[in-house]
Amino acid sequence: RPVKRSGDPVARDQEIIRDICWKFRETRFSQVEVACLNGAVTLKGTVASAWDHSEAIEIARSTTGVMDVTVDLRVRSR
């Protein structure tokens, strides 16, 4: 069932952030910050692996209402 979004742009951005953060609830994404403006999401922070980096981007892109994703994620060096 499709997710119904608010008609208010600010509320819609907050819903997108909430949805992505819910999907990022695993500790491996605990250092990722999510911002959204007019459906454009920015991911900023650090992840442990290239796999987590790719998965974070895919999660954001597949979230209902997301129009674009800007990535400022670093893979933590070991």
Side-chain angles (χ1 to χ4, degrees), residues 31 45-50 52-53 73-78:
Q31 295 183 350
T46 305
V47 292
S49 69
D52 291 345
H53 184 277
L73 292 175
R74 291 177 293 128
V75 177
R76 186 174 23 252
S77 57
R78 296 184 180 216

Side-chain angles (χ1 to χ4, degrees), residues 25-42:
R25 69 193 178 280
E26 297 176 44
T27 56
R28 63 193 173 123
F29 297 120
S30 65
Q31 295 183 350
V32 177
E33 296 175 23
V34 181
C36 184
L37 181 61
N38 299 322
V41 170
T42 300

